[in-house]
Amino acid sequence: MRRPQVPEYIRKLGVYVPGRPIEEVQRELGVTDIVKLASNENPLGPSPKAVAAVAAALPTVHRYPDGSGYALRRAIAVRHGVDLEQVILGAGSVEIIEMLARAFLADGDEAVFSEQSFVSYELAVRQVNGKAVTAPATAGRGHDLPALACAITDRTRLVLLANPCNPTGTYFTRAALDRFLAEAGDRALVVLDQAYHEYVAQPDYPDGLADVKAGRNVMVLRTFSKIYGLAGLRIGYGLASAEVVAMVNRVRSPFNTSSLAQVAAVAALDDHDWAQRSREHNLRELAFLQDELRRRQVRFTPSVTNFVLVEFGTDVGELFLEFQKRGVIIRPVGGPGLVNCARVSVGTHAENERFLAALDQLVRLRAGA
Ligand SMILES: Cc1ncc(COP(=O)(O)O)c(C=O)c1O
């Protein structure tokens, strides 16, 4: 058969490897009663109000959604005190990252991001034949903002900063962001990816919304996939100046977010109790998980969010399989500086106990006990 005629930059692209679905592991390994701690989802589930809103909207799914997502954009605009024209919706915030790459990067234009940050950045940039420019992370696996500022050139159109960062769980402060924005100036759009924003309790953590409101060349990204528990519906949003949003809208596909996702997000946004419960649960269980890792002298990067990057000191591919055989799906990560690392999402208390029990078993096995 003839080789598909695609440009070289497409042929060379890697494929995003998601956390393994529970059903797949069940099928392949014949294991039941599986816990998935691989994709940083809300272990408590979706907001009950969102579930009710989806059920109520089901009879209307023969209609196309409102392509502009008016009701949801309005709810978001009111929540954050911005204009309707400053809000854009995506099928998950990852779709907005892809739209940004399409809108901002012509052949060879550059996007700058940290080496140990979200893998989708590189894929989105390379899909459009943009040039991914990275700066190494700090020794503590944080963003090296001065180095990132230095990496900006005349060809840079986007800077992608994950705060908190996935997969490291680290964050940078308001003071550090201010210094960075002063250095970066207006040369490129700075994308503050705040997918895990709602989990962070640190008082010096910066909310990029203030920077959008101050008229800086910034887009904030948020998602309903994490604390709002709607990962399966695929819905996220961006906040920026009306001018930036208008440009990104030019590359948005007409019905990119579904009607069910839109109504669920409106309901979830209003469910403060669910978000608060989820936040408190996470803080408690994150502390538990990190304490237990410390007690076992397992190395990890202290996290401010709903997952922990663990350093296993052994081949993580093999470990990944051993965990699965014990009914626990974690997420191996790779790339520069991340050898033998895996990301473990904070689950319910029982799920976290399952992870720790599997870890203990594997440690004992390796010690030959
Ligand atoms: C840093 C970061 N940004 C964006 C996303 C995208 O999430 P979604 O597309 O589900 O909104 C994720 C998901 O894991 C993430 O970790």
Side-chain angles (χ1 to χ4, degrees):
M1 206 177 70
R2 198 172 162 177
R3 210 166 165 232
Q5 300 220 311
V6 297
E8 207 43 35
Y9 64 88
I10 296 292
R11 193 173 297 286
K12 283 191 190 146
L13 272 183
V15 175
Y16 180 82
V17 183
R20 288 200 85 185
I22 290 176
E23 296 72 19
E24 197 176 281
V25 174
Q26 264 167 356
R27 228 175 21 245
E28 275 184 24
L29 298 178
V31 187
T32 51
D33 191 18
I34 293 175
V35 304
K36 183 182 173 204
L37 301 174
S39 300
N40 309 337
E41 296 142 339
N42 185 338
L44 305 184
S47 141
K49 288 187 179 169
V51 174
V54 169
L58 271 174
T60 65
V61 293
H62 60 300
R63 302 283 179 207
Y64 281 98
D66 170 359
S68 82
Y70 176 83
L72 176 57
R73 281 197 306 126
R74 205 183 135 69
I76 291 167
V78 169
R79 161 66 59 89
H80 295 307
V82 297
D83 293 338
L84 193 63
E85 294 72 29
Q86 292 184 268
V87 185
I88 185 158
L89 304 180
S93 50
V94 79
E95 195 205 16
I96 306 180
I97 295 165
E98 288 169 355
M99 289 193 271
L100 283 164
R102 287 206 294 278
F104 277 80
L105 304 177
D107 276 356
D109 283 340
E110 294 169 4
V112 170
F113 50 92
S114 179
E115 213 164 58
Q116 293 180 20
S117 67
F118 190 34
V119 285
S120 291
Y121 298 159
E122 176 159 3
L123 291 177
V125 170
R126 290 181 45 205
Q127 269 171 19
V128 297
N129 205 19
K131 186 171 166 206
V133 177
T134 56
T138 63
R141 301 194 187 284
H143 276 52
D144 186 340
L145 290 171
L148 287 160
C150 276
I152 298 174
T153 70
D154 289 345
R155 289 300 298 270
T156 308
R157 299 290 175 268
L158 292 173
V159 180
L160 299 151
L161 306 178
N163 198 31
C165 182
N166 171 15
T168 59
T170 56
Y171 80 107
F172 51 82
T173 64
R174 164 52 66 189
L177 176 61
D178 282 346
R179 276 194 300 275
F180 173 81
L181 291 174
E183 264 181 68
D186 254 3
R187 287 178 291 169
L189 179 72
V190 176
V191 181
L192 291 172
D193 180 350
Q194 299 189 323
Y196 303 94
H197 155 88
E198 295 86 355
Y199 287 110
V200 186
Q202 278 64 16
D204 55 357
Y205 167 74
D207 183 351
L209 184 60
D211 304 289
V212 172
K213 288 185 178 175
R216 294 178 171 149
N217 196 17
V218 162
M219 176 177 271
V220 164
L221 296 181
R222 299 275 177 86
T223 181
F224 288 95
S225 299
K226 306 299 173 185
I227 209 161
Y228 292 107
L230 301 179
L233 284 174
R234 312 303 304 124
I235 183 101
Y237 62 97
L239 305 168
S241 69
E243 292 77 12
V244 166
V245 167
M247 289 304 137
V248 184
N249 245 325
R250 283 166 160 70
V251 299
R252 187 175 62 78
S253 81
F255 302 105
N256 65 323
T257 63
S258 74
S259 48
L260 297 184
Q262 290 178 23
V263 294
V266 170
L269 197 61
D270 225 24
D271 197 345
H272 301 285
D273 288 349
W274 192 255
Q276 187 56 20
R277 218 179 115 187
S278 303
R279 191 175 301 117
E280 283 165 8
H281 167 86
N282 187 70
L283 282 175
R284 207 169 43 242
E285 287 302 317
L286 174 66
F288 168 72
L289 201 55
Q290 296 193 138
D291 284 349
E292 292 296 316
L293 289 170
R294 228 173 261 123
R295 212 160 61 75
R296 289 165 171 81
Q297 297 183 338
V298 174
R299 289 181 66 181
F300 66 93
T301 305
S303 168
V304 299
T305 178
N306 69 340
F307 56 85
V308 183
L309 184 77
V310 182
E311 270 177 63
F312 285 102
T314 181
D315 177 29
V316 79
E318 224 174 85
L319 260 186
F320 180 45
L321 188 64
E322 291 303 322
F323 269 106
Q324 284 175 62
K325 287 183 189 162
R326 288 160 181 78
V328 179
I329 310 176
I330 59 171
R331 180 74 172 273
V333 293
L338 292 168
V339 183
N340 296 340
C341 290
R343 209 187 56 201
V344 181
S345 306
V346 174
T348 61
H349 189 69
E351 288 172 341
N352 297 334
E353 298 261 30
R354 282 277 303 275
F355 163 70
L356 292 165
L359 177 65
D360 289 342
Q361 267 187 18
L362 290 172
V363 170
R364 273 200 303 274
L365 209 70
R366 281 190 56 215

